[in-house]
Amino acid sequence: NVDFHARFLSKHLEHSCMQQNAALSCFPDLTFTAWCNSHLRKAGTQIENIEEDFRDGLKLMLLLEVISGERLPKPERGKMRVHKINNVNKALDFIASKGVKLVSIGAEEIVDGNAKMTLGMIWTIILRFAIQDISVEETSAKEGLLLWCQRKTAPYKNVNVQNFHISWKDGLAFNALIHRHRPELIDYDKLRKDDPVTNLNNAFEVAERYLDIPKMLDAEGEFMTYVSCFYHAFSGAQKAETAANRICKVLAVNQENEHLMEDYEKLASDLLEWIRRTIPWLENRAPEKTMTEMQQKLEDFRDYRRVHKPPKVQEKCQLEINFNTLQTKLRLSNRPAFMPSEGRMVSDINGAWHKLEGAEKGYEEWLLNEIRRLERLDHLAEKFRQKAAIHESWTDGKEAMLTQKDYETATLSEIKALLKKHEAFESDLAAHQDRVEQIAAIAQELNELDYYDSPSVNARCQKICEQWDALGSLTQSRRESLERTEKQLESIDELYLEYAKRAAPFNNWMEGAMEDLQDMFIVHNIEEIQGLITAHDQFKSTLPEANKERESIQAIQAEVQKIAQYNGIKLAGNNPYTTITPQSIDKKWEKVQQLVPQRDQALQEELARQQSNDHLRRQFANQANMIGPWIQNKMEEIGRISIEMNGTLEDQLTHLRQYEQSIIEYKPNIDQLEGDHQLIQEALIFDNKYTAYTMEHLRVGWEQLLTTIARTINEIENQILTRDAKGISQEQLHEYRTSFNHFDKDHSGVLHAEEFKACLISLGYDVENNKQKRTGIMDGDDFRALLISTGNSLGDAEFARIMGIVDPNNSGAVTFQAFIDFMSRETTDTDTADQVIASFKILAGDKNYITAEELRRELPPDQAEYCIARMAPYTGPDAVPGALDYMSFSTALYGESDL
């Protein structure tokens, strides 16, 4: 009776885990006879004694036909032993044909009524036909049955199914299974965990009365057979579970896609905001007054290039990858394409990025030009101050000298002397004309270059020019005064005159030489400094001749002294024709001699600096000439890898990731080159004749290389997604890629319209019949023959429809991803809105609406709430309070409604 079963089961489960042989010997009739009769009753018969009633093989064959649904060979009706053995052998052969190995079980033992062999055979049949066919999510039969029990009893308190023995001892698990599928049969809330006998009695009675499940115990000690009867009894509920799984899958895809869309919008917004804030800074052209301030601007720009921009380059690349992955997932799940908010398209971001790089390039050029301009201004300003100081020193007292009236009381000889002295002054004045013109020219250039201190320069230059004009007028006036009295004067001492005439130009030459020796210089390469050194060497070669001239001039003065001494003439002061004394000539000559080695040192120091700069140029060029071709080579290799299709997609993905890692490991070379470039900029080197590569070119090439390898990896990943989602085999993908590459004549990675059309024909695609005829990839004469034979099979209208699918933007080119998307869409099945609607209809019990209670019962909590929050109220004529419209919700998932 039921009470015996319940008490025995409770006690048996507490002891846990009796082995199969023990079970077979303890209660064969109780379990196996009941199990066999539960199936034989379907054929209008049953057995009383399991050892005796199967001996002739007739009911054994009938049992196998009932549980398998197949017909066995016609049994033999004779009563002889050979007839019985033949019947049993037919049954055993049928069992063996189902992949079951019968160890040590023969027909003779069954015919002889061997209880152990008979029970072993029945247990083998139970395992094969009642348990082995159970499958939940591709698990084994036992694991699948256990998983099914766990899922069905999960919502019930005090139930935790982990096995087929201890987990069932309190009877709550059996009652939970019945209540889950037939809640009207059991009041589960009234059951108590501490009353296992009552619980088990209740489950056994209900199962036998309403579910046609016989009272039996399992033959393995884990009660799998008894539980499997519940599985088969409720197998119809699997349709609802399958429908729920389909809906969960669709909703999970939709939720994931929404998260990806939100992440894209935020990342795009942040990147565009950064670009918007950065461009005004790069477009600011407010100049600074000093080199120090401009150098700080350049340092800030370097910091932007090294620190702030690289993470944004990575963000931009990741944004494109996320966008492509999202679009691929949407295509694979048959969803509408993602359209970002206005102004946040990938093309908008690329446009903003292009504007940023344009502003960046213009800002760098402006910085370097400003530094050159300020350097030039500093040089010119210093040169102006030096020349102005020399001129002002020379003109000091000249106006007083020209305005004095000494000739009015002078003797004739003194007048002549004054006249000659004045002629020497005019010669000196003319010699200084070039310097004044140079000062004016430098001031003009400073104004043109917008020198910040131009007002003070202009004021000083104006003063010098006005003073120079005044000196000219005064000089002319004095000459006229002296000439008026010239007839009254006698010739003056020729020696004094000769001294004055020769001393003045020599003095000017020395002053010019001192000025040149102290003149500042700026050069940008070795050739320019070597030119200055050569000029300086030429100057030094003239010094011996200049010394002879100095000695000759000094000899004139010595001759004057000799004549005066010889004739007893008392000279009245210095040479009346010039203020240039022999002492001043010697002093200036000594100054020239001191300045020459100083100039030598300055030139050699500049030569060393230019040699150092040249070393920096060569150092940068050697590295750049290696990195530039390396980057180009890597770009070409990536192109070959994406075309050659060596190995599976996973092999290609692994190879590309290893290749990406090798590229990343090359980054220290780029960093080293950045360091060399910084040294060059700090040394103010603006050209490099040893290489055609600039740092900007290499930066762009490096960034393009990183972006290309990332995009190529993303393409392979998308191909894997497409393959797995659409069930495309590796051979199909290889065939698609081979055909695509064959017609990609220019290796551009895309097919133009005519190439794409030829590719479809080569794959045997008949557009007019809307199906594929696979004939293999063709080439040469075979392809031309196919074109002739197919004529206009690819009709214009149909081909235009296909192009609208693979090229929605009308670019005239078809990518490989779009190509395989199209081929996979044409050859594989995907979830549709109708399928989802059908699944909801199963959950709703064939109603046109569904309730929140039904959704929470059949779906996981998070996805049930997701549906409830998004489903509109159902308004049909059969609507009830709380009814939800699952049809409009399903069509909205696939973009087929405005919901």
Side-chain angles (χ1 to χ4, degrees):
N1 57 41
V2 175
D3 184 69
F4 165 77
H5 280 278
R7 293 180 183 277
F8 184 86
L9 178 59
S10 177
K11 179 179 179 181
H12 178 73
L13 288 171
E14 290 178 14
H15 289 288
S16 175
C17 298
M18 295 181 66
Q19 299 300 319
Q20 176 176 338
N21 290 336
L24 291 172
S25 63
C26 290
F27 42 85
D29 291 338
L30 183 63
T31 301
F32 291 0
T33 302
W35 183 86
C36 292
N37 284 335
S38 69
H39 292 286
L40 287 171
R41 278 197 296 270
K42 299 175 183 177
T45 185
Q46 62 181 19
I47 61 173
E48 299 294 333
N49 188 313
I50 198 166
E51 298 99 17
E52 293 296 325
D53 292 351
F54 284 144
R55 292 179 61 183
D56 62 0
L58 295 176
K59 289 188 177 180
L60 177 60
M61 294 179 68
L62 182 61
L63 174 65
L64 291 172
E65 288 183 345
V66 171
I67 62 178
S68 69
E70 300 180 21
R71 297 290 297 175
L72 272 69
K74 184 176 182 181
E76 298 178 10
R77 298 291 180 177
K79 296 185 178 292
M80 297 180 64
R81 177 179 176 84
V82 66
H83 295 150
K84 298 178 180 180
I85 290 176
N86 288 341
N87 289 338
V88 173
N89 274 330
K90 291 177 182 179
L92 296 179
D93 290 341
F94 178 80
I95 295 172
S97 71
K98 298 303 179 181
V100 179
K101 295 183 66 175
L102 296 170
V103 181
S104 302
I105 299 176
E108 290 78 8
E109 287 82 0
I110 306 301
V111 172
D112 292 338
N114 187 318
K116 183 176 182 180
M117 293 301 175
T118 302
L119 293 176
M121 177 188 68
I122 297 302
W123 173 240
T124 301
I125 293 173
I126 291 173
L127 286 177
R128 172 59 182 84
F129 293 99
I131 298 176
Q132 182 175 327
D133 287 340
I134 297 175
S135 177
V136 178
E137 294 186 358
E138 302 180 356
T139 60
S140 67
K142 181 178 179 180
E143 291 172 344
L145 183 59
L146 183 61
L147 179 59
W148 179 80
C149 294
Q150 289 172 341
R151 287 183 173 178
K152 295 302 180 181
T153 61
Y156 294 86
K157 63 182 180 179
N158 297 326
V159 177
N160 183 18
V161 177
Q162 298 297 327
N163 49 52
F164 287 108
H165 41 87
I166 300 300
S167 300
W168 305 83
K169 70 177 184 178
D170 57 11
L172 291 178
F174 290 109
N175 284 278
L177 279 179
I178 297 172
H179 183 268
R180 178 64 186 268
H181 297 89
R182 297 287 300 276
E184 75 279 2
L185 298 180
I186 289 179
D187 189 352
Y188 185 85
D189 294 333
K190 291 185 178 180
L191 300 177
R192 300 201 325 266
K193 184 175 179 64
D194 58 357
D195 190 4
V197 173
T198 300
N199 298 339
L200 291 167
N201 284 338
N202 183 64
F204 292 159
E205 289 175 355
V206 170
E208 184 175 50
R209 180 179 302 172
Y210 298 102
L211 304 178
D212 197 27
I213 297 176
K215 304 167 188 175
M216 66 176 74
L217 293 179
D218 190 286
E220 191 181 290
E222 294 182 343
F223 303 90
M224 287 176 58
T225 305
Y226 190 63
V227 175
S228 70
C229 291
F230 283 86
Y231 175 88
H232 290 294
F234 299 131
S235 61
Q238 289 301 107
K239 292 182 179 180
E241 183 173 351
T242 301
N245 288 338
R246 178 183 292 273
I247 292 174
C248 288
K249 175 183 173 184
V250 171
L251 295 178
V253 169
N254 216 58
Q255 289 171 312
E256 180 185 6
N257 290 341
E258 288 179 0
H259 290 315
L260 289 175
M261 293 175 188
E262 292 171 359
D263 292 343
Y264 174 88
E265 290 283 343
K266 184 178 185 306
L267 188 57
S269 176
D270 293 345
L271 183 58
L272 287 170
E273 174 62 20
W274 178 83
I275 293 173
R276 185 191 66 77
R277 286 186 284 102
T278 303
I279 287 179
W281 175 67
L282 293 173
E283 291 178 342
N284 181 13
R285 299 293 188 271
E288 302 295 342
K289 295 181 179 180
T290 64
M291 279 287 289
T292 302
E293 293 171 325
M294 287 306 298
Q295 288 284 6
Q296 183 58 48
K297 277 185 176 286
L298 182 60
E299 185 60 31
D300 292 342
F301 181 71
R302 291 198 194 102
D303 188 65
Y304 156 80
R305 275 272 181 78
R306 292 192 303 263
V307 179
H308 301 292
K309 185 182 178 185
K312 298 304 178 182
V313 173
Q314 182 62 31
E315 287 181 15
K316 177 177 176 292
C317 177
Q318 189 62 45
L319 191 68
E320 294 181 7
I321 291 174
N322 291 350
F323 182 82
N324 292 336
T325 301
L326 173 60
Q327 297 293 39
T328 298
K329 289 185 175 181
L330 289 172
R331 285 196 302 272
L332 296 178
S333 59
N334 206 17
R335 269 43 168 206
F338 169 54
M339 182 62 65
S341 302
E342 184 176 357
R344 296 180 184 174
M345 294 288 290
V346 172
S347 58
D348 297 325
I349 295 171
N350 287 333
W353 190 265
H354 180 71
K355 184 178 179 182
L356 173 74
E357 290 184 330
E360 178 181 321
K361 180 179 179 182
Y363 186 70
E364 184 177 30
E365 292 175 353
W366 175 77
L367 280 177
L368 297 178
N369 289 334
E370 275 298 296
I371 289 174
R372 293 191 190 100
R373 184 182 70 84
L374 289 177
E375 183 183 34
R376 173 67 176 165
L377 283 174
D378 287 346
H379 169 69
L380 288 174
E382 183 61 24
K383 191 170 184 179
F384 174 84
R385 287 190 288 270
Q386 286 187 1
K387 289 185 176 294
I390 293 172
H391 178 78
E392 289 165 347
S393 176
W394 179 83
T395 58
D396 185 35
K398 293 297 189 293
E399 289 186 14
M401 181 195 73
L402 291 172
T403 56
Q404 64 183 340
K405 303 297 183 178
D406 55 338
Y407 55 85
E408 293 179 350
T409 58
T411 63
L412 182 60
S413 60
E414 289 173 342
I415 290 298
K416 289 187 176 289
L418 289 176
L419 187 57
K420 297 299 181 181
K421 181 180 179 181
H422 189 72
E423 290 176 355
F425 173 76
E426 286 180 329
S427 177
D428 197 10
L429 185 68
H432 282 79
Q433 177 68 34
D434 289 340
R435 182 180 291 114
V436 175
E437 293 175 355
Q438 290 175 5
I439 291 172
I442 293 173
Q444 178 65 26
E445 189 170 357
L446 287 171
N447 278 277
E448 291 173 354
L449 293 177
D450 196 25
Y451 181 55
Y452 77 96
D453 199 21
S454 292
S456 64
V457 170
N458 292 337
R460 192 172 184 181
C461 181
Q462 181 67 24
K463 183 179 179 181
I464 289 173
C465 291
E466 290 174 355
Q467 186 185 41
W468 183 255
D469 293 338
L471 286 178
S473 299
L474 292 173
T475 299
Q476 180 64 26
S477 177
R478 184 172 177 81
R479 165 171 281 280
E480 291 174 355
S481 298
L482 290 173
E483 288 177 346
R484 280 195 301 267
T485 60
E486 183 180 10
K487 293 180 180 180
Q488 302 172 3
L489 301 176
E490 296 180 350
S491 63
I492 63 175
D493 194 337
E494 292 294 331
L495 289 174
Y496 268 59
L497 183 58
E498 183 180 358
Y499 175 89
K501 287 183 177 181
R502 293 180 64 177
F506 184 72
N507 184 69
N508 286 335
W509 174 85
M510 287 192 297
E511 288 181 350
M514 288 189 292
E515 183 179 347
D516 291 339
L517 289 172
Q518 297 178 85
D519 189 18
M520 293 181 63
F521 57 84
I522 178 170
V523 295
H524 298 93
N525 53 55
I526 292 179
E527 290 76 10
E528 291 180 2
I529 188 61
Q530 286 177 341
L532 290 179
I533 292 173
T534 300
H536 183 61
D537 290 340
Q538 292 174 352
F539 166 75
K540 289 193 292 185
S541 67
T542 64
L543 290 179
E545 283 296 324
N547 191 41
K548 289 181 181 179
E549 176 66 12
R550 181 187 66 83
E551 291 173 347
S552 177
I553 293 172
Q554 297 292 52
I556 294 174
Q557 181 64 24
E559 182 67 19
V560 169
Q561 295 293 338
K562 181 180 178 181
I563 294 173
Q565 185 178 5
Y566 180 80
N567 294 291
I569 300 173
K570 187 177 181 181
L571 297 175
N574 295 325
N575 189 323
Y577 305 117
T578 182
T579 58
I580 301 172
T581 64
Q583 293 77 14
S584 66
I585 290 177
D586 287 341
K587 185 177 180 180
K588 290 179 180 179
W589 178 256
E590 291 174 0
K591 181 66 174 177
V592 169
Q593 294 294 98
Q594 294 173 359
L595 290 175
V596 167
Q598 294 176 6
R599 185 71 167 185
D600 283 332
Q601 181 181 355
L603 291 172
Q604 290 303 318
E605 289 175 353
E606 181 61 25
L607 177 61
R609 189 176 78 87
Q610 290 301 325
Q611 289 173 338
S612 173
N613 289 352
D614 201 59
H615 171 72
L616 290 177
R617 289 187 181 95
R618 292 177 184 273
Q619 179 174 302
F620 175 85
N622 290 339
Q623 192 74 357
N625 290 337
M626 177 182 67
I627 292 176
W630 183 88
I631 291 176
Q632 181 63 31
N633 183 51
K634 293 301 178 184
M635 292 288 287
E636 294 173 356
E637 289 182 6
I638 292 172
R640 288 197 299 272
I641 290 173
S642 63
I643 292 176
E644 290 175 355
M645 306 178 301
N646 292 327
T648 65
L649 290 177
E650 285 76 7
D651 294 339
Q652 295 177 37
L653 184 60
T654 300
H655 182 48
L656 282 171
R657 284 177 174 159
Q658 294 172 348
Y659 204 78
E660 180 184 37
Q661 184 61 34
S662 70
I663 291 174
I664 293 173
E665 291 172 355
Y666 197 77
K667 182 63 163 55
N669 295 290
I670 303 297
D671 295 337
Q672 178 184 348
L673 191 64
E674 286 282 6
D676 294 342
H677 183 251
Q678 180 174 346
L679 293 176
I680 282 181
Q681 287 196 324
E682 289 172 352
L684 299 178
I685 299 172
F686 304 110
D687 60 341
N688 193 337
K689 65 182 179 181
Y690 301 111
T691 181
Y693 294 103
T694 65
M695 195 64 235
E696 177 63 24
H697 294 157
L698 295 176
R699 283 195 201 103
V700 172
W702 175 254
E703 293 170 359
Q704 288 178 347
L705 179 61
L706 292 178
T707 301
T708 299
I709 188 65
R711 285 174 177 167
T712 304
I713 289 174
N714 181 244
E715 289 176 0
I716 297 299
E717 291 173 339
N718 288 341
Q719 291 177 29
I720 292 175
L721 284 174
T722 302
R723 180 198 66 191
D724 295 343
K726 301 298 186 178
I728 302 174
S729 67
Q730 187 67 32
E731 291 75 15
Q732 284 178 303
L733 276 177
H734 182 77
E735 181 181 8
Y736 293 160
R737 171 56 87 176
T738 301
S739 183
F740 188 91
N741 290 346
H742 172 75
F743 290 98
D744 183 13
K745 303 299 184 181
D746 57 358
H747 303 293
S748 62
V750 298
L751 296 180
H752 299 295
E754 290 303 318
E755 294 173 335
F756 175 61
K757 185 175 183 179
C759 184
L760 287 179
I761 295 176
S762 73
L763 287 171
Y765 190 88
D766 187 351
V767 176
E768 287 189 344
N769 294 324
N770 196 23
K771 64 182 180 179
Q772 287 183 314
K773 297 178 181 178
R774 307 305 304 275
T775 59
I777 298 176
M778 304 176 213
D779 197 1
D781 295 336
D782 291 337
F783 172 63
R784 286 189 289 272
L786 179 62
L787 285 175
I788 295 172
S789 64
T790 55
N792 290 323
S793 290
L794 290 173
D796 292 341
E798 181 61 18
F799 184 67
R801 181 191 70 81
I802 296 175
M803 284 300 293
I805 295 174
V806 298
D807 183 23
N809 296 326
N810 294 322
S811 63
V814 181
T815 65
F816 181 67
Q817 184 63 43
F819 173 65
I820 62 172
D821 284 346
F822 171 75
M823 296 304 295
S824 62
R825 184 183 297 124
E826 295 295 316
T827 57
T828 60
D829 187 22
T830 58
D831 291 330
T832 64
D834 291 340
Q835 291 175 328
V836 176
I837 291 172
S839 298
F840 272 118
K841 195 173 187 68
I842 292 174
L843 296 187
D846 287 335
K847 300 190 298 293
N848 292 325
Y849 60 86
I850 194 167
T851 66
E853 180 182 358
E854 290 170 331
L855 288 171
R856 291 191 178 103
R857 184 178 69 232
E858 301 297 343
L859 299 179
D862 61 333
Q863 295 187 338
E865 298 305 324
Y866 179 83
C867 292
I868 293 170
R870 286 164 172 75
M871 282 188 182
Y874 178 72
T875 58
D878 54 343
V880 299
L884 299 176
D885 188 353
Y886 61 78
M887 294 185 183
S888 62
F889 173 77
S890 300
T891 55
L893 289 178
Y894 291 88
E896 298 177 8
S897 78
D898 296 329
L899 186 60

PDB file of all heavy atoms in Angstrom, residues 824-836:
ATOM      1  N   SER A 824      24.942  34.456 -45.216  1.00  0.00           N
ATOM      2  CA  SER A 824      24.429  33.721 -44.059  1.00  0.00           C
ATOM      3  C   SER A 824      22.929  33.946 -43.888  1.00  0.00           C
ATOM      4  O   SER A 824      22.194  33.052 -43.497  1.00  0.00           O
ATOM      5  CB  SER A 824      25.176  34.145 -42.789  1.00  0.00           C
ATOM      6  OG  SER A 824      24.958  35.518 -42.548  1.00  0.00           O
ATOM      7  N   ARG A 825      22.457  35.184 -44.201  1.00  0.00           N
ATOM      8  CA  ARG A 825      21.029  35.467 -44.089  1.00  0.00           C
ATOM      9  C   ARG A 825      20.234  34.638 -45.098  1.00  0.00           C
ATOM     10  O   ARG A 825      19.108  34.229 -44.842  1.00  0.00           O
ATOM     11  CB  ARG A 825      20.791  36.962 -44.296  1.00  0.00           C
ATOM     12  CG  ARG A 825      19.336  37.362 -44.113  1.00  0.00           C
ATOM     13  CD  ARG A 825      19.120  38.838 -44.399  1.00  0.00           C
ATOM     14  NE  ARG A 825      19.860  39.645 -43.469  1.00  0.00           N
ATOM     15  CZ  ARG A 825      20.733  40.550 -43.832  1.00  0.00           C
ATOM     16  NH1 ARG A 825      20.953  40.761 -45.116  1.00  0.00           N
ATOM     17  NH2 ARG A 825      21.376  41.279 -42.943  1.00  0.00           N
ATOM     18  N   GLU A 826      20.836  34.402 -46.258  1.00  0.00           N
ATOM     19  CA  GLU A 826      20.143  33.665 -47.324  1.00  0.00           C
ATOM     20  C   GLU A 826      20.133  32.158 -47.066  1.00  0.00           C
ATOM     21  O   GLU A 826      19.318  31.442 -47.615  1.00  0.00           O
ATOM     22  CB  GLU A 826      20.807  33.950 -48.670  1.00  0.00           C
ATOM     23  CG  GLU A 826      20.681  35.394 -49.126  1.00  0.00           C
ATOM     24  CD  GLU A 826      19.229  35.764 -49.400  1.00  0.00           C
ATOM     25  OE1 GLU A 826      18.534  34.957 -50.025  1.00  0.00           O
ATOM     26  OE2 GLU A 826      18.793  36.834 -48.960  1.00  0.00           O
ATOM     27  N   THR A 827      21.128  31.658 -46.272  1.00  0.00           N
ATOM     28  CA  THR A 827      21.292  30.199 -46.153  1.00  0.00           C
ATOM     29  C   THR A 827      20.972  29.668 -44.775  1.00  0.00           C
ATOM     30  O   THR A 827      20.970  28.474 -44.559  1.00  0.00           O
ATOM     31  CB  THR A 827      22.730  29.802 -46.509  1.00  0.00           C
ATOM     32  OG1 THR A 827      23.619  30.517 -45.653  1.00  0.00           O
ATOM     33  CG2 THR A 827      23.038  30.163 -47.947  1.00  0.00           C
ATOM     34  N   THR A 828      20.726  30.537 -43.764  1.00  0.00           N
ATOM     35  CA  THR A 828      20.469  30.049 -42.404  1.00  0.00           C
ATOM     36  C   THR A 828      19.175  30.641 -41.862  1.00  0.00           C
ATOM     37  O   THR A 828      18.674  31.640 -42.373  1.00  0.00           O
ATOM     38  CB  THR A 828      21.631  30.419 -41.460  1.00  0.00           C
ATOM     39  OG1 THR A 828      21.767  31.848 -41.439  1.00  0.00           O
ATOM     40  CG2 THR A 828      22.913  29.804 -41.936  1.00  0.00           C
ATOM     41  N   ASP A 829      18.709  30.012 -40.825  1.00  0.00           N
ATOM     42  CA  ASP A 829      17.469  30.460 -40.190  1.00  0.00           C
ATOM     43  C   ASP A 829      17.795  31.303 -38.977  1.00  0.00           C
ATOM     44  O   ASP A 829      18.794  31.078 -38.302  1.00  0.00           O
ATOM     45  CB  ASP A 829      16.639  29.232 -39.770  1.00  0.00           C
ATOM     46  CG  ASP A 829      15.267  29.649 -39.274  1.00  0.00           C
ATOM     47  OD1 ASP A 829      14.826  30.758 -39.630  1.00  0.00           O
ATOM     48  OD2 ASP A 829      14.660  28.868 -38.519  1.00  0.00           O
ATOM     49  N   THR A 830      16.972  32.278 -38.672  1.00  0.00           N
ATOM     50  CA  THR A 830      17.197  33.131 -37.508  1.00  0.00           C
ATOM     51  C   THR A 830      15.867  33.317 -36.785  1.00  0.00           C
ATOM     52  O   THR A 830      14.798  33.042 -37.324  1.00  0.00           O
ATOM     53  CB  THR A 830      17.724  34.517 -37.926  1.00  0.00           C
ATOM     54  OG1 THR A 830      16.782  35.124 -38.805  1.00  0.00           O
ATOM     55  CG2 THR A 830      19.055  34.400 -38.622  1.00  0.00           C
ATOM     56  N   ASP A 831      15.983  33.770 -35.547  1.00  0.00           N
ATOM     57  CA  ASP A 831      14.773  34.079 -34.798  1.00  0.00           C
ATOM     58  C   ASP A 831      14.016  35.204 -35.490  1.00  0.00           C
ATOM     59  O   ASP A 831      14.622  36.143 -36.002  1.00  0.00           O
ATOM     60  CB  ASP A 831      15.139  34.515 -33.365  1.00  0.00           C
ATOM     61  CG  ASP A 831      15.688  33.348 -32.547  1.00  0.00           C
ATOM     62  OD1 ASP A 831      15.271  32.213 -32.835  1.00  0.00           O
ATOM     63  OD2 ASP A 831      16.517  33.593 -31.656  1.00  0.00           O
ATOM     64  N   THR A 832      12.676  35.084 -35.481  1.00  0.00           N
ATOM     65  CA  THR A 832      11.839  36.122 -36.092  1.00  0.00           C
ATOM     66  C   THR A 832      10.793  36.555 -35.078  1.00  0.00           C
ATOM     67  O   THR A 832      10.568  35.907 -34.039  1.00  0.00           O
ATOM     68  CB  THR A 832      11.143  35.597 -37.359  1.00  0.00           C
ATOM     69  OG1 THR A 832      10.247  34.550 -36.983  1.00  0.00           O
ATOM     70  CG2 THR A 832      12.152  35.069 -38.361  1.00  0.00           C
ATOM     71  N   ALA A 833      10.131  37.652 -35.397  1.00  0.00           N
ATOM     72  CA  ALA A 833       9.069  38.138 -34.531  1.00  0.00           C
ATOM     73  C   ALA A 833       7.947  37.103 -34.430  1.00  0.00           C
ATOM     74  O   ALA A 833       7.377  36.893 -33.349  1.00  0.00           O
ATOM     75  CB  ALA A 833       8.545  39.472 -35.056  1.00  0.00           C
ATOM     76  N   ASP A 834       7.622  36.409 -35.527  1.00  0.00           N
ATOM     77  CA  ASP A 834       6.562  35.399 -35.491  1.00  0.00           C
ATOM     78  C   ASP A 834       6.912  34.262 -34.543  1.00  0.00           C
ATOM     79  O   ASP A 834       6.043  33.736 -33.826  1.00  0.00           O
ATOM     80  CB  ASP A 834       6.324  34.847 -36.908  1.00  0.00           C
ATOM     81  CG  ASP A 834       5.696  35.898 -37.820  1.00  0.00           C
ATOM     82  OD1 ASP A 834       5.106  36.872 -37.285  1.00  0.00           O
ATOM     83  OD2 ASP A 834       5.786  35.747 -39.048  1.00  0.00           O
ATOM     84  N   GLN A 835       8.217  33.860 -34.543  1.00  0.00           N
ATOM     85  CA  GLN A 835       8.607  32.773 -33.645  1.00  0.00           C
ATOM     86  C   GLN A 835       8.459  33.201 -32.180  1.00  0.00           C
ATOM     87  O   GLN A 835       8.033  32.425 -31.329  1.00  0.00           O
ATOM     88  CB  GLN A 835      10.061  32.379 -33.935  1.00  0.00           C
ATOM     89  CG  GLN A 835      10.238  31.686 -35.285  1.00  0.00           C
ATOM     90  CD  GLN A 835      11.682  31.411 -35.603  1.00  0.00           C
ATOM     91  OE1 GLN A 835      12.546  32.173 -35.197  1.00  0.00           O
ATOM     92  NE2 GLN A 835      11.953  30.344 -36.327  1.00  0.00           N
ATOM     93  N   VAL A 836       8.844  34.429 -31.876  1.00  0.00           N
ATOM     94  CA  VAL A 836       8.731  34.911 -30.508  1.00  0.00           C
ATOM     95  C   VAL A 836       7.254  35.004 -30.095  1.00  0.00           C
ATOM     96  O   VAL A 836       6.875  34.652 -28.978  1.00  0.00           O
ATOM     97  CB  VAL A 836       9.428  36.277 -30.354  1.00  0.00           C
ATOM     98  CG1 VAL A 836       9.221  36.838 -28.945  1.00  0.00           C
ATOM     99  CG2 VAL A 836      10.918  36.146 -30.639  1.00  0.00           C
TER     100      VAL A 836
END
